[in-house]
Amino acid sequence: MKRIIQILTGTFLIFIISCTTDFLDYSPKGKLSGDQLNNPEFMDQLVTAAYASLGNDDWPQPISNMWQWGSVRSDDAYKGGGSVPDQGEIDIMEQFVLINTELGKPNLIWIALYEGIGRANDALQRLDLMTEKQYPKKVEREAECRFIRGHFHFLLKILFKYPVWVDELTQKADIKLLTNNDFTNDQLWDKIAGDFEFAVNNLPVTQSQKGRATKVAAWSYLAKVRLYQAYEQDDQHNVTNINTTKLQQVVQMCDNVITAGTNGLAVDFGDNFVTEKENGPESIFAIQFSVDDGTDHGRLNKATGLNYNMAPVFGCCDFHNPSQNMVNAFKTDDNGLPLFDTFNDVSMKDFVDFWTNGVDPRLDHTVGIVSHPFKYDPTWIMLKSWRRAPQVYGYYSAMKEVVHYKDPTFRKYGAFHASALNFVVIRYSDVLLMKAEALIELGRHSEALPLINEVRSRAANSTGKLKYSNGTYASNYRISTYQDGVNCNWTQNYARSAMRFERRLEFAMESPRFFDLVRWGIAAETLNAYFAKEKTRFTFLSDAFFKKNRDEYLPIPQQQINLVEGIYTQNYGW
């Protein structure tokens, strides 16, 4: 734990994270002593450093795009790459076998997230030394730092369940004395919620500089925290109750976002995954990246550097491959609705399969499919040769997080690839579906129907980018809204299934899937059913098995337990 908040002791380097805006557009000023930073002149730069930590990652320990932690560990995706041993720790986590408390990657993400918390806390400590007369933006900047700290603690919470709570009141000398059992599960959620509540109370509804946290972003994140907290878990990770008071808070926070009127759904679903449309209406809070910004290399999004396929213009490294199960989930029935129970009986894999079946248009926004246009270029057709190890992982390729090779922000760094494509932490569609989820669990499922239908209607209208040069579509797009008494019977149980399926389709390959399954208390049954079928298609999964009451959370890294001489309590099952 020595590295938690040592980021700004002694020296300080100003980071730039602007993305085609003037937000935090400062030139590096060199090194300063710690005491020199306790000056209003440097407060904005300190907050800049806290923002910079949101995207200070790379593919070995991604913390912006959480694909290794929430997508590959779910039924959405395979690890991919050149072979099963290629980046073998990801394979271990994907299959939930051979996992132990000394794996390197959980330790890396633990460190990276606490480094981000350290920057936020350092800024908060120094802001506390200022008066509002000295620094008129004091309270607003404190709110931004607490928003950032809340984000990092949230990620630690959904990964490890019982992380260590560290705030700006903690003295550096006392960090090694902190334990991870000072607070109950519920109390930890309240601590995280407290940061977002402070942000709600002290941030403006909008910001003139893109990338800064807003009141709307804080409402949205607070809704997410309360939604997770509502599913009460015992110490063995079983969901034992759904707290209706917390659900009502979710509805209120989401209503605040909706009525604020600052955000809405993008006209086309694909607008969320191209640089020319970033910071659009659907983006409530996004991690900003940039190129050609006056720095040596720009602020590139390197978390997905492994995930470009083997097309000649890329050539490496083809990780994060969509699963056959997930591709099949985009099938629709004759009424244009999902096939909740039978979608995975027969696979869609050949060209004709995407025409003999009805298909939700979001599939071709999410998955690179052989013979289909890739990344909205009707002349750039995906080929089998673009796949690195199809004999192991099949023929599908990730698409949301990659950019076209002609994108002006596309860059190669060594063997890897990056761009300035922002990573959207919270989209407006997430707010709609969080509200729908809370309403369904409150027994107000009829009120959830129009929210889910709003998301589906946008999907239905998102086919314009999905055409060949001759104007024909890549798949047989067939999608409809839910109509109670016409094409469905909208009971609470049916509505719950519809909402959960909608979240999977809407956010496929974006990383929430695993954490959704754990929140709902259905991770073991869902993933073991997935493994049972998928291992008949792909032999690399032959030993995969999710152990209930253990694998819902990563173990507390043994390396960290050793650093604090054993005062941390290991998670149940480990």
Side-chain angles (χ1 to χ4, degrees):
M1 296 296 291
K2 293 179 181 178
R3 297 180 64 185
I4 289 179
I5 51 174
Q6 291 182 343
I7 308 306
L8 293 171
T9 56
T11 63
F12 172 66
L13 176 64
I14 298 170
F15 289 86
I16 296 176
I17 63 172
S18 171
C19 188
T20 66
T21 72
D22 62 344
F23 174 35
L24 310 178
D25 219 357
Y26 298 97
S27 299
K29 299 294 194 293
K31 296 181 178 180
L32 301 171
S33 71
D35 289 342
Q36 283 179 291
L37 292 172
N38 298 329
N39 187 308
E41 176 185 355
F42 298 114
M43 288 302 103
D44 268 3
Q45 289 96 321
L46 286 160
V47 178
T48 298
Y51 274 106
S53 62
L54 295 168
N56 272 358
D57 57 349
D58 207 332
W59 63 260
Q61 76 290 347
I63 62 172
S64 52
N65 187 317
M66 298 275 285
W67 65 274
Q68 292 181 23
W69 312 102
S71 184
V72 171
R73 290 200 300 155
S74 77
D75 47 2
D76 270 7
Y78 315 133
K79 171 184 71 70
S83 65
V84 173
D86 189 3
Q87 296 302 314
E89 275 203 11
I90 308 176
D91 174 75
I92 288 172
M93 292 189 293
E94 174 181 7
Q95 299 198 53
F96 300 95
V97 294
L98 304 177
I99 299 180
N100 61 69
T101 62
E102 296 185 357
L103 290 179
K105 281 187 173 293
N107 188 50
L108 285 175
I109 195 170
W110 177 283
I111 292 169
L113 293 171
Y114 276 112
E115 285 178 343
I117 290 169
R119 289 197 183 191
N121 282 338
D122 190 275
L124 285 166
Q125 289 170 349
R126 297 174 192 276
L127 283 164
D128 190 54
L129 300 175
M130 303 292 107
T131 65
E132 287 191 66
K133 183 177 180 180
Q134 291 174 303
Y135 185 59
K137 286 283 188 179
K138 172 184 175 176
V139 176
E140 185 176 323
R141 295 292 183 256
E142 287 176 332
E144 291 178 56
C145 288
R146 291 190 64 172
F147 180 98
I148 294 166
R149 184 176 70 188
H151 166 73
F152 285 125
H153 271 128
F154 176 84
L155 295 183
L156 283 161
K157 185 77 175 70
I158 63 175
L159 286 166
F160 295 101
K161 189 171 185 177
Y162 288 110
V164 181
W165 175 265
V166 185
D167 60 27
E168 78 279 13
L169 301 179
T170 307
Q171 298 299 311
K172 292 181 177 68
D174 295 332
I175 291 174
K176 286 189 67 172
L177 304 177
L178 298 176
T179 74
N180 68 329
N181 59 7
D182 287 338
F183 302 102
T184 65
N185 184 50
D186 199 52
Q187 288 171 337
L188 272 172
W189 282 125
D190 280 339
K191 298 287 282 186
I192 298 168
D195 275 346
F196 291 115
E197 287 171 340
F198 185 89
V200 162
N201 293 330
N202 294 287
L203 287 175
V205 173
T206 62
Q207 296 270 22
S208 60
Q209 297 171 315
K210 298 294 185 183
R212 288 196 185 276
T214 65
K215 186 185 296 287
V216 173
W219 276 326
S220 303
Y221 223 137
L222 181 57
K224 179 174 284 193
V225 171
R226 293 306 190 194
L227 183 61
Y228 273 77
Q229 185 180 17
Y231 292 84
E232 297 175 352
Q233 294 183 358
D234 62 20
D235 286 340
Q236 298 179 25
H237 320 319
N238 300 300
V239 175
T240 58
N241 182 54
I242 302 179
N243 187 306
T244 57
T245 299
K246 296 295 187 292
L247 293 177
Q248 289 162 354
Q249 292 173 4
V250 173
V251 173
Q252 182 59 62
M253 292 301 106
C254 291
D255 279 342
N256 291 344
V257 174
I258 294 167
T259 58
T262 57
N263 295 88
L265 295 178
V267 174
D268 190 296
F269 182 69
D271 290 349
N272 293 300
F273 313 109
V274 290
T275 56
E276 62 266 28
K277 295 286 187 177
E278 62 188 10
N279 293 319
E282 196 161 345
S283 176
I284 290 178
F285 184 74
I287 299 171
Q288 306 289 309
F289 295 96
S290 65
V291 294
D292 303 328
D293 55 12
T295 61
D296 289 342
H297 305 290
R299 283 282 301 168
L300 293 172
N301 181 347
K302 296 182 178 180
T304 56
L306 292 178
N307 299 359
Y308 287 75
N309 59 40
M310 305 303 290
V313 291
F314 297 143
C316 192
C317 293
D318 203 28
F319 281 73
H320 195 207
N321 302 159
S323 73
Q324 185 63 60
N325 178 290
M326 193 268 285
V327 169
N328 293 342
F330 286 89
K331 289 181 188 175
T332 59
D333 65 16
D334 291 341
N335 293 315
L337 299 182
L339 295 160
F340 298 145
D341 300 319
T342 61
F343 74 91
N344 200 38
D345 290 351
V346 179
S347 292
M348 293 192 298
K349 55 183 179 179
D350 298 323
F351 178 84
V352 68
D353 296 332
F354 298 95
W355 280 96
T356 55
N357 292 281
V359 175
D360 187 310
R362 286 171 289 190
L363 173 64
D364 280 299
H365 292 278
T366 304
V367 180
I369 300 170
V370 171
S371 77
H372 289 206
F374 191 78
K375 206 61 187 182
Y376 311 129
D377 183 345
T379 68
W380 196 28
I381 308 302
M382 182 169 169
L383 304 175
K384 286 186 175 181
S385 61
W386 294 12
R387 297 291 293 110
R388 188 176 178 191
Q391 73 282 4
V392 181
Y393 295 112
Y395 284 97
Y396 302 120
S397 178
M399 193 156 63
K400 281 181 175 177
E401 68 260 39
V402 307
V403 300
H404 196 288
Y405 67 94
K406 293 181 180 178
D407 185 292
T409 75
F410 174 68
R411 297 288 188 275
K412 289 193 175 187
Y413 66 107
F416 312 118
H417 306 84
S419 75
L421 179 65
N422 289 350
F423 181 75
V424 182
V425 177
I426 300 181
R427 301 207 320 256
Y428 186 76
S429 60
D430 200 1
V431 172
L432 295 178
L433 293 178
M434 286 193 293
K435 181 181 176 183
E437 181 174 343
L439 289 169
I440 289 166
E441 298 305 336
L442 286 168
R444 297 161 57 184
H445 42 284
S446 61
E447 297 175 59
L449 179 59
L451 298 168
I452 296 173
N453 279 343
E454 188 175 346
V455 175
R456 291 185 66 77
S457 294
R458 191 273 296 276
N461 293 324
S462 298
T463 59
K465 300 177 187 289
L466 307 178
K467 296 180 180 180
Y468 293 100
S469 296
N470 63 6
T472 60
Y473 291 116
S475 302
N476 175 27
Y477 302 123
R478 184 172 67 204
I479 180 173
S480 300
T481 57
Y482 294 99
Q483 301 167 58
D484 188 21
V486 177
N487 60 8
C488 69
N489 183 15
W490 194 257
T491 63
Q492 184 184 36
N493 285 338
Y494 186 93
R496 184 181 294 115
S497 296
M499 175 274 299
R500 291 179 177 182
F501 222 85
E502 200 65 29
R503 283 195 64 84
R504 187 180 191 191
L505 301 177
E506 181 74 7
F507 305 114
M509 305 291 284
E510 294 180 55
S511 81
R513 177 65 173 169
F514 178 81
F515 307 113
D516 283 348
L517 294 175
V518 172
R519 179 173 79 251
W520 297 327
I522 61 171
E525 62 198 75
T526 301
L527 294 180
N528 285 330
Y530 158 71
F531 290 141
K533 183 72 171 182
E534 210 79 348
K535 68 179 57 175
T536 67
R537 298 165 173 159
F538 298 93
T539 57
F540 79 92
L541 288 171
S542 59
D543 295 325
F545 183 78
F546 183 99
K547 185 175 181 181
K548 185 175 175 61
N549 303 129
R550 183 195 72 174
D551 291 330
E552 289 85 357
Y553 296 93
L554 294 170
I556 306 299
Q558 187 62 43
Q559 300 92 324
Q560 299 301 319
I561 294 175
N562 293 342
L563 280 174
V564 295
E565 300 177 353
I567 65 173
Y568 293 166
T569 301
Q570 185 56 271
N571 282 333
Y572 183 86
W574 296 103

